[in-house]
Amino acid sequence: MPSTEPVDLLSRITGAAPSLLRFTHAQPNQFEIILQAGFALPVERPTNVYEFLRDQLGVPEEVIQQRIQTLFLNSSPVDNLLTAQVRPGSTLALSGALPGLLGATMRRGGYYSRMREGISYKQDEPLTEEHAKPFLVQVRLYNLMARDLAGYALRRGILVPKDRLCEFLEQQPPAFWMQFGQCELDEKPIPTDAFHQAAWEPCTETILLLLADSPVKE
């Protein structure tokens, strides 16, 4: 995905572009705390959960089928990824296998899933023309999912609150910064020591955090 695409899409949704923090990092899974706390992802149009994971979050087929064991859409467990609809106002939570009977009950398509029939996701009302426009999806990744999917999510570009991101970066140990490469804020290079010294100044309350596949310009 080109680095300008999520910025342009967010401008269409919110009417203004957030500050863009574009960076390289050798171990994106070290951002797992950010992903566990939750983030927003811009989406072009409503889609089913499977297509959202594959096309919007960039998750490979084998990861979807084998690693993502438990999904909650608007707090309801999901079994069928093709019928559950991601639409404006949706919140999606992903998890690996959870322990015990509770985990077996919440696992999608599992033997015990019938025990939670009353709380499982039910088909939404049909989509209308009003839904056919870009929107934000709220996403949370739990346990191993935050590590396994970190690179995919960050390469798509995630929207996070400025205060949460600042606090996270200020608390990172030296080992984190050893993996950190080049970085730019709104197309202007910034040194990595600016982050743990709280010496950088994003101009919007939310930040689009985007992991680059190649070094950013110097």
Side-chain angles (χ1 to χ4, degrees), residues 121-177:
Y121 171 83
K122 301 296 191 300
Q123 187 73 31
D124 286 316
E125 294 294 326
L127 293 168
T128 66
E129 290 185 4
E130 183 179 352
H131 295 115
K133 56 186 178 182
F135 60 97
L136 292 175
V137 176
Q138 300 297 322
V139 183
R140 294 190 72 172
L141 306 180
Y142 292 102
N143 52 52
L144 292 178
M145 286 297 96
R147 297 182 65 84
D148 291 350
L149 304 185
Y152 304 118
L154 289 169
R155 287 185 179 90
R156 295 291 167 160
I158 65 173
L159 198 63
V160 297
K162 176 182 69 175
D163 292 345
R164 183 188 302 163
L165 179 59
C166 289
E167 181 180 7
F168 168 79
L169 293 174
E170 290 168 19
Q171 294 176 349
Q172 294 312 299
F176 174 90
W177 298 108

Side-chain angles (χ1 to χ4, degrees), residues 27-111:
Q27 295 185 351
N29 58 13
Q30 292 184 358
F31 286 81
E32 62 179 308
I33 294 177
I34 289 288
L35 303 179
Q36 289 173 350
F39 58 92
L41 194 73
V43 179
E44 180 71 38
R45 62 183 62 86
T47 184
N48 62 51
V49 170
Y50 174 79
E51 291 176 345
F52 173 81
L53 295 174
R54 183 193 64 187
D55 302 333
Q56 302 297 328
L57 206 55
V59 183
E61 172 76 19
E62 62 272 18
V63 177
I64 296 175
Q65 299 299 342
Q66 299 175 19
R67 299 285 292 167
I68 303 177
Q69 298 291 318
T70 304
L71 299 93
F72 293 90
L73 182 60
N74 301 330
S75 301
S76 294
V78 172
D79 288 304
N80 191 327
L81 306 186
L82 296 176
T83 59
Q85 291 287 322
V86 175
R87 57 175 67 197
S90 290
T91 298
L92 183 67
L94 310 178
S95 173
L98 298 172
L101 179 60
L102 177 61
T105 303
M106 294 301 171
R107 189 172 303 137
R108 64 184 176 98
Y111 175 79

